[in-house]
Amino acid sequence: DIQMTQSPSLLSASVGDRVTLSCKASQNIYKYLNWYQQKLGEAPKLLIYYTNSLQTGIPSRFSGSGSGTDFTLTISSLQPEDVATYYCYQYNSGPWTFGGGTKLELK
Amino acid sequence: EVQILETGGGLVKPGGSLRLSCATSGFNFNDYFMNWVRQAPGKGLEWVAQIRNKNYNYATYYAESLEGRVTISRDDSKSSVYLQVSSLRAEDTAIYYCTRSRELDYWGQGVMVTVSS
């Protein structure tokens, strides 16, 4: 199985900060990597698919990059509504797997 | 507008069984793979099962942690997907989400399953 490792597990940042979240795969997943945002008490929401494609309706301050085993989600200017847990997910090969999540909070 | 609604959750005794249903609307259900993903209280997300569409012979895939105890199925005439889980254990306690497509692009609000005596 492909293991997905996210870091850090907890991130504190201030409004307006540029924030970078990391996701590493245990083997090559090419670009089959998505990012999801989950706010407290809500279902996850797709932000970025196929590494760097922005889902419809998602603000342009969110962006993704990477390939192979190393991936990044960047929020260019953190907003209060971005407080959430972020998960990466690989769909290159089954069983499909999620990272453990990064909880993003305001400093 | 894509809509996904899960039903069928509740309190089940260890060893029991449960069938979750997921009704969808707002898209051509026949074209899409469908998945179940679960989340134990306070924990992360775990992909559970996928069923592909007719073009892929309705192939099914399961997480190893549940294989043998879970069956995913679909009814294209009802735009619905189902998850049958048997021999339930305390560790199956979770919110179960129904999600669309290989990319998990749309999610329902989830249904809570609690396994407890």
Side-chain angles (χ1 to χ4, degrees):
Chain A
D1 298 4
I2 298 176
Q3 308 301 317
M4 305 300 292
T5 303
Q6 291 187 240
S7 61
S9 55
L10 176 64
L11 180 58
S12 297
S14 301
V15 173
D17 282 354
R18 182 180 182 87
V19 171
T20 300
L21 284 63
S22 173
C23 177
K24 294 184 185 297
S26 61
Q27 57 187 272
N28 187 0
I29 59 169
Y30 304 94
K31 287 193 168 188
Y32 294 102
L33 187 285
N34 289 358
W35 290 96
Y36 300 86
Q37 177 193 64
Q38 186 178 32
K39 296 182 179 180
L40 196 62
E42 297 183 5
K45 178 169 66 175
L46 177 63
L47 298 177
I48 302 285
Y49 62 96
Y50 200 61
T51 293
N52 56 14
S53 295
L54 195 66
Q55 175 71 338
T56 303
I58 301 302
S60 59
R61 64 180 179 274
F62 291 94
S63 63
S65 63
S67 68
T69 60
D70 291 343
F71 300 87
T72 298
L73 174 70
T74 300
I75 307 173
S76 60
S77 177
L78 186 67
Q79 300 302 303
E81 60 266 33
D82 299 335
V83 168
T85 300
Y86 293 82
Y87 294 94
C88 61
Y89 169 75
Q90 71 82 18
Y91 56 106
N92 176 66
S93 62
W96 297 275
T97 43
F98 290 91
T102 292
K103 186 175 181 180
L104 178 58
E105 62 178 28
L106 288 180
K107 192 180 294 182
Chain B
E1 179 192 5
V2 173
Q3 295 196 342
I4 297 174
L5 180 65
E6 305 94 336
T7 56
L11 176 63
V12 185
K13 287 183 166 48
S17 298
L18 202 61
R19 188 192 195 213
L20 304 179
S21 298
C22 169
T24 73
S25 62
F27 62 99
N28 189 353
F29 183 80
N30 296 4
D31 289 343
Y32 288 88
F33 300 177
M34 296 297 295
N35 302 266
W36 289 92
V37 173
R38 71 180 181 178
Q39 185 171 36
K43 302 297 185 183
L45 300 169
E46 179 185 21
W47 172 81
V48 170
Q50 181 183 93
I51 186 165
R52 299 194 169 183
N53 61 12
K54 185 177 181 180
N55 291 344
Y56 289 82
N57 296 316
Y58 302 115
T60 58
Y61 301 88
Y62 300 102
E64 291 170 9
S65 60
L66 289 119
E67 194 139 22
R69 300 193 296 122
V70 63
T71 302
I72 188 171
S73 59
R74 63 190 289 161
D75 185 338
D76 289 353
S77 69
K78 295 182 179 179
S79 298
S80 293
V81 61
Y82 309 95
L83 188 73
Q84 178 81 33
V85 189
S86 60
S87 303
L88 282 158
R89 309 163 179 166
E91 53 265 37
D92 296 318
T93 294
I95 297 173
Y96 286 73
Y97 295 102
C98 178
T99 73
R100 188 185 84 161
S101 83
R102 184 185 180 197
E103 292 82 8
L104 313 186
D105 58 355
Y106 286 91
W107 298 57
Q109 282 306 299
V111 62
M112 185 71 205
V113 172
T114 303
V115 183
S116 175
S117 55

